[in-house]
Amino acid sequence: MSQDLSDFDQLELTFENETRSVFRKGKGPAVIVMHEVPGLHPGVIRLANAFCDAGLTVWLPSLFGKPGKEVNAFNITASLVHCCVVHEFTVLATSKNSPVTSWLRCLARYAHTECGGPGVGVIGMCMTGGFALAMMVEEAVLVPVVCNPSLPFALTPDRKRDLGIDENTLVQAKARSATQGICVLGLRFTADIFVPTERFHRLHEEFGPNFQAIEIDSSYGNCHGIDRFAHSVLGVHYVDEPNHPTVVAESQTVAFIRDRLIQDGRVLDSKSSGHD
C-alpha cells in the first residue's frame, strides 16, 4: 500500500477567506482525517488508505508542515513551533476553540455535499485531536473520533481536564450527542503525559455512555513492550505487527466510522441511520 500522496487528488479549497491544500481519495461517505505533528506524514497516509479500503472517501487537509515529509526531530520541532505561535491553534488557554476548527467545519459541509451519505466522519490526531469535538456543532458531522488529543497542553490541573473547546461548543456537542445518539470515540496510551487520564475522565463525565474509549497499556513492563513515552496511537507510534494493540485500535476505529455511515455494503441515508 502506498504511503505517499501520489494517488490522491489535490484540491485547493477556500473557506472563510483561507485557502488550504486538501488531498482526496476513495469512494463513499466522507471521513476527514486531521493529521498530527509534523504533518501529512506516511503514517497518516497509511491510516487514510485504511479508510479508503473500508469504502469511504478520505479528505486530508494540510494544516501545518509540508505534505509527505518524513517524521524526524527537525520536522517535529518545526511543526510544534509553528502551532505554538500561529493563532489557529490554542495550545495553552483553557476552554477555547482553535480558530482553524471553523474552516474545518466548512470542509465537513463541503465534503458531505460532494460525497453524500448520512454525514461525515472526522478524526483528529495529537494537536488536532480535540478538533473533532469542536466540529460536532456542524450538522454534517456524525462520527467524531479524538485520537490522543493533546490541546491545550496539560501544564496545570485545569488544563489536564480541558477538552480544547469553549463552553458553548461543548453544550452544543453534548446536545447533539444526547438527542441524535452520536457517539464519540477516544484513543490514548495510558502513560501519555500529553493526554492525561483526567482528560478522558472529563469526556466520560460530559458524554456519559456516548463516549467510548480505547486505552492502550503503556505502563512500565506492559506485555507488548510499548514505550512509556508513546503518544501517537494511529500515527508515529503505530506498530504494524499482527495483533499489536495499535493495529487492533486502527481496525476498531475504522469500523467505528464505517459502521455508522455504511451498513452491509449499503450507504445509510439519514432516516435509516437514525439521524434527522
Side-chain angles (χ1 to χ4, degrees), residues 75-136:
N75 290 334
I76 289 174
T77 301
S79 291
L80 285 172
V81 169
H82 172 81
C83 291
C84 287
V85 299
V86 298
H87 77 282
E88 288 100 338
F89 293 82
T90 303
V91 299
L92 294 177
T94 58
S95 300
K96 297 283 187 179
N97 294 340
S98 289
V100 71
T101 56
S102 244
W103 191 94
L104 290 164
R105 287 195 288 265
C106 293
L107 175 61
R109 287 196 295 273
Y110 180 81
H112 185 211
T113 299
E114 289 286 299
C115 296
V120 175
V122 296
I123 176 170
M125 307 169 71
C126 182
M127 302 282 280
T128 68
F131 290 5
L133 297 177
M135 293 176 71
M136 287 178 68

Side-chain angles (χ1 to χ4, degrees), residues 10 52 116 127 137 164 196 205 217 226 233 239 255 262-263 269 274-275:
Q10 182 174 349
C52 290
M127 302 282 280
V137 302
E205 291 170 8
D217 183 14
I226 296 170
V233 176
V239 178
I262 303 174
Q263 190 174 73
D269 58 26
H275 299 293

Side-chain angles (χ1 to χ4, degrees), residues 21-246:
S21 296
V22 179
F23 297 85
R24 171 179 169 165
K25 179 181 175 182
K27 294 182 179 179
V31 56
I32 297 172
V33 178
M34 296 170 283
H35 62 78
E36 62 187 3
V37 170
L40 285 172
H41 65 75
V44 176
I45 298 167
R46 183 214 73 249
L47 175 62
N49 279 313
F51 285 118
C52 290
D53 291 344
L56 299 166
T57 302
V58 172
W59 298 71
L60 290 173
S62 181
L63 303 175
F64 48 81
K66 184 176 180 180
K69 272 195 173 182
E70 295 289 337
V71 177
N72 57 45
F74 176 82
N75 290 334
I76 289 174
T77 301
S79 291
L80 285 172
V81 169
H82 172 81
C83 291
C84 287
V85 299
V86 298
H87 77 282
E88 288 100 338
F89 293 82
T90 303
V91 299
L92 294 177
T94 58
S95 300
K96 297 283 187 179
N97 294 340
S98 289
V100 71
T101 56
S102 244
W103 191 94
L104 290 164
R105 287 195 288 265
C106 293
L107 175 61
R109 287 196 295 273
Y110 180 81
H112 185 211
T113 299
E114 289 286 299
C115 296
V120 175
V122 296
I123 176 170
M125 307 169 71
C126 182
M127 302 282 280
T128 68
F131 290 5
L133 297 177
M135 293 176 71
M136 287 178 68
V137 302
E138 166 53 49
E139 286 294 322
V141 174
L142 295 184
V143 197
V145 177
V146 294
C147 189
N148 38 281
S150 60
L151 295 187
F153 291 157
L155 302 178
T156 66
D158 284 345
R159 288 177 182 149
K160 287 181 179 180
R161 283 179 49 83
D162 198 272
L163 302 179
I165 57 177
D166 63 32
E167 186 62 29
N168 181 57
T169 301
L170 178 59
V171 168
Q172 292 181 70
K174 289 169 59 177
R176 287 200 69 211
S177 175
T179 60
Q180 298 183 35
I182 295 175
C183 291
V184 179
L185 177 65
L187 299 91
R188 69 182 286 266
F189 288 110
T190 59
D192 186 358
I193 61 173
F194 296 105
V195 191
T197 302
E198 292 89 340
R199 189 162 292 169
F200 268 40
H201 283 172
R202 175 86 184 279
L203 286 165
H204 279 294
E205 291 170 8
E206 299 291 356
F207 291 94
N210 281 342
F211 177 66
Q212 301 178 21
I214 298 174
E215 298 182 272
I216 298 175
D217 183 14
S218 60
S219 61
Y220 181 78
N222 67 84
C223 63
H224 290 278
I226 296 170
D227 192 282
R228 285 179 293 170
F229 297 102
H231 168 65
S232 174
V233 176
L234 302 180
V236 174
H237 297 110
Y238 174 90
V239 178
D240 190 9
E241 296 176 355
N243 300 317
H244 191 274
T246 56

